[in-house]
Amino acid sequence: MNRLATGAALTAGVIAATTLAFAPSASAAVTPSSATITASCGIFGGGTATLTATQVSSTSATITLSSTAITTPLALSANSINSTLTMTNSTGANRVFSGTVNPAIPAGGAVKVGPLPGTVAVGDSLDFYQGSLKMVVFGISVTCTSNAAQSPGPFVFS
């Protein structure tokens, strides 16, 4: 009887350990996942824009900017805007997200860039305020800035 109880306890222990070994690990998350800014972008105009953040891992994330108020005066082909998004970080060095990712945009069309990849760290608190979005199109540089913090608040990475 003692052997049976010992065997049952050992089996239960092995099953519990196996379950823990194959349990999904906690995934990296960013909160909030989107925020609103008001940007001024020179010849591209200005107004309300949405930033969407996605945390890919504990050390990488992407950010997309889209706006119907910020428009391009010329038609642009897909992946033709060289974008560098600099976010201020209240917990350390600024973070930079860059790439050449955009849909085709007709003349007068709404601007969307991203997802732009970048490096983050656990605890980063990123805000567009006092940061910038630099877009280079046909060799012309357009910089967007904001004079207020994003709403509802900074992107916090975990």
Side-chain angles (χ1 to χ4, degrees):
M1 188 72 149
N2 203 7
R3 283 185 174 179
L4 183 59
T6 302
L10 183 58
T11 301
V14 168
I15 290 171
T18 303
T19 301
L20 286 174
F22 290 108
S25 61
S27 61
V30 59
T31 54
S33 60
S34 67
T36 302
I37 62 167
T38 301
S40 175
C41 301
I43 63 170
F44 276 30
T48 303
T50 301
L51 294 172
T52 305
T54 303
Q55 190 161 354
V56 178
S57 71
S58 62
T59 60
S60 67
T62 62
I63 297 183
T64 301
L65 179 139
S66 58
S67 175
T68 56
I70 302 168
T71 59
T72 175
L74 304 170
L76 301 174
S77 60
N79 305 320
S80 63
I81 303 174
N82 186 357
S83 302
T84 303
L85 174 65
T86 302
M87 302 286 287
T88 59
N89 183 5
S90 66
T91 63
N94 289 350
R95 300 296 182 186
V96 177
F97 298 81
S98 61
T100 309
V101 181
N102 63 275
I105 304 170
V111 168
K112 179 178 180 179
V113 294
L116 304 173
T119 300
V120 296
V122 172
D124 277 357
S125 180
L126 306 183
D127 197 316
F128 186 78
Y129 178 58
Q130 296 181 338
S132 65
L133 171 65
K134 179 181 176 184
M135 298 177 284
V136 179
V137 182
F138 303 125
I140 300 168
S141 181
V142 176
T143 300
C144 299
T145 58
S146 180
N147 61 6
Q150 63 192 42
S151 178
F155 295 123
V156 178
F157 295 84
S158 59

